[in-house]
Structures are given as structure tokens and as C-alpha cells.
Amino acid sequence: MDGYRPSTYGEGFADVYDDWYGDVSDADATVERVAALAAAAGSDRVLELGGGSGRLAVPLAARGFVTWTVDASFAMVRRLRGKPGGERVHAVVGDMAALPLSARARFGVVLCAFNTLFNLTTIEAQRRCLAAAADRIVPEGGRLVVESFVASSHDDPNAAVGAVEPRHIGLDEVVLTVSRLDPANHTITGQHVQITEAGIRLRPWMLRYLSPDELDALAAEAGLRLAERHAGWRSEPFTADSPVHVSTYALMPRG
Ligand SMILES: C[S@@+](CC[C@H](N)C(=O)[O-])C[C@H]1O[C@@H](n2cnc3c(N)ncnc32)[C@H](O)[C@@H]1O
């Protein structure tokens, strides 16, 4: 999508994000799991990549963690800061593929939840993000946790699939999801088209998906090894049919 930038998603969705996605995953279970991983790492510091409006970062900070987030969208960060407890989150506006943080900052857990790694629309940006995350976890016991839908690595590269689906049909509003899958490039490009009597609002989005195996391979390039993979935040067993995975990575031994 021409002109699509790291900030495009957040700027387009910030005003509806909490209404549309506020309960998209189990925030309480996420906080519990992150708390257990941070405790095992002996750290009270957590970094959320693309923390958005603070759906997870705010409860993590409320739980007592020194919580940082790097998000590309001013509008998202403004939402986070406007929430009760949002002032406790150290929110930086920037690109998670570059992680503009102090060189000395280290975290017990770096969290990349709810498909956010796929918001990086090129493999190079995903590679840089994983390398930057690996640099930020504490060497002894630190973990990177990635949550995403399970994408297939066996798509027919010649199939380009377009779809228009109703997302919401209300008395005074229709939201259509218009999308195109490009299997050769592992991208899905879309718009949420919100139609009301006042007019039409376009909310563009773009994902570059990775299968779990592809993610493991990219993580390995960054010096990270898969430590655990579950089908959710409550350590549900991961199977061939799991629609979602929560994957935990540790640093490979150096040298
Ligand atoms: C799907 S939302 C998820 C927000 C939050 N992690 C959650 O689970 O509710 C993705 C977030 O990633 C941010 N984002 C997208 N590309 C980014 C980038 N290159 N660097 C930093 N943040 C980015 C967006 O602004 C948005 O807030």
C-alpha cells in the first residue's frame, strides 16, 4: 500500500481501538504470565513493543512493573497517557524495529502481543526488531514473548485472495473489512471501511505474517531460541490446530 508508514495503523485506529479490540485477548492472563517470566528472570522491568493504547502496558504498570513501551503512533500513545494509570507507563513514540531506548536499558521480559510483530511489513524490519529485542533482554533468564495468530508457511504463492467481509452491521453504521492476501510476500493489506450517515472513514492496515517455524528461524538469526510455545496465555498446549501461539524465546548461549 503506497504511503503506508509505521504510524499508519495506530493513527487510523487509535480512536476506536479500545472499543473494538479492548477485550481481544485475556489481559489478566497476559499480565500473570509476564509476571511469572519476569520473576524467573529476577527483574521488575518489562518492555512492550507496540504497546498502543496501553491495553496491556497499563495493567502491567499497575501490577508494579517498571513498564516501557515503544509505539510508532502519537495518537495511540496519547490514548495511553490519558488513561488512569497511564502516567506510570514510560511511553516512547518510535519504531520498534529500531528501539530508540538508552543503550543500557535491559528488561526481564520484552513482550510483543496480539500480532504486533506482524505490523512490521517487511522481513528486514522484523529481523531488526527481533535483534533489537534480543539486545534488550537481561542475559540471565530474560525472555522475549511473541503472541500471534498461526499463519501457514505452505500457502500457494500464486493465489492472491481478496475479500470483503462485514465486521459490524448496526442501525447507524456498517464496518466492512476489505483485504487482499499476497501469499508470495506473506502480506495481507486491508482497510476497515466505516460507513455512517456522516460519511466514510478509512482505517488502513497491513500485516506481514510469519508461520511459527518462520518466526523461530528469524528469532534464531537474532540469537534467540524457542524456550516454550503455548496456545494461549494460560499455558494451553500448542497443537497443530491451535489458531494462536504464545512463544517464549531465550538468548542462545554465546561463544
Ligand atoms: C495491533 S496494535 C496492538 C497494541 C497492543 N500491543 C495491544 O495488544 O493491544 C499494534 C500497535 O503497534 C503499533 N505499531 C505498528 N507498527 C509499529 C512500529 N513499526 N513501531 C512501533 N509500533 C508500531 C501500532 O501503532 C499499534 O499501537
Side-chain angles (χ1 to χ4, degrees), residues 145-165:
V145 190
V146 177
E147 175 193 28
S148 78
F149 66 83
V150 175
S152 166
S153 55
H154 305 297
D155 290 327
D156 173 357
N158 298 314
V161 182
V164 179
E165 291 170 358

Side-chain angles (χ1 to χ4, degrees), residues 180-240:
R180 179 178 295 125
L181 173 69
D182 176 353
N185 290 308
H186 282 206
T187 57
I188 311 174
T189 304
Q191 286 270 9
H192 280 27
V193 182
Q194 186 176 17
I195 305 167
T196 65
E197 296 210 343
I200 295 176
R201 171 81 194 264
L202 298 177
R203 302 182 191 275
W205 52 270
M206 192 172 171
L207 295 178
R208 183 182 188 281
Y209 55 88
L210 294 159
S211 70
D213 287 348
E214 289 163 340
L215 175 58
D216 293 348
L218 216 52
E221 287 181 31
L224 294 162
R225 64 169 176 82
L226 181 68
E228 293 176 82
R229 170 161 289 141
H230 296 107
W233 291 103
R234 295 177 189 273
S235 300
E236 299 90 333
F238 182 75
T239 71

Side-chain angles (χ1 to χ4, degrees), residues 4-204:
Y4 193 90
R5 298 152 56 90
S7 60
T8 302
Y9 175 86
E11 297 299 302
F13 281 84
D15 62 326
V16 292
Y17 189 84
D18 289 329
D19 283 346
W20 291 11
Y21 304 109
D23 58 1
V24 74
S25 71
D26 189 338
D28 291 343
T30 308
V31 171
E32 287 306 316
R33 178 82 178 126
V34 169
L37 292 170
S43 168
D44 66 350
R45 294 171 55 80
V46 173
L47 168 65
E48 188 184 2
L49 306 177
S53 63
R55 184 179 68 90
L56 302 170
V58 169
L60 282 165
R63 177 70 181 256
F65 291 105
V66 178
T67 304
W68 285 72
T69 177
V70 173
D71 197 286
S73 162
F74 276 104
M76 281 288 195
V77 168
R78 207 174 299 122
R79 290 262 155 188
L80 182 158
R81 290 186 177 140
K83 285 183 177 169
E87 73 285 351
R88 297 186 64 177
V89 178
H90 304 271
V92 176
V93 177
D95 188 350
M96 64 187 181
L99 281 190
L101 300 172
S102 150
R104 292 191 306 277
R106 293 288 178 279
F107 301 88
V109 178
V110 176
L111 169 67
C112 196
F114 186 36
N115 308 321
T116 298
L117 186 65
F118 299 172
N119 276 232
L120 297 170
T121 57
T122 65
I123 193 168
E124 291 78 16
Q126 292 173 337
R127 190 175 276 129
R128 281 188 281 121
C129 180
L130 291 170
D135 276 349
R136 296 296 170 176
I137 59 179
V138 295
E140 294 299 323
R143 295 289 185 264
L144 166 68
V145 190
V146 177
E147 175 193 28
S148 78
F149 66 83
V150 175
S152 166
S153 55
H154 305 297
D155 290 327
D156 173 357
N158 298 314
V161 182
V164 179
E165 291 170 358
R167 183 182 195 282
H168 174 72
I169 303 174
L171 270 183
D172 54 3
E173 177 194 72
V174 171
V175 180
L176 303 176
T177 304
V178 182
S179 64
R180 179 178 295 125
L181 173 69
D182 176 353
N185 290 308
H186 282 206
T187 57
I188 311 174
T189 304
Q191 286 270 9
H192 280 27
V193 182
Q194 186 176 17
I195 305 167
T196 65
E197 296 210 343
I200 295 176
R201 171 81 194 264
L202 298 177
R203 302 182 191 275

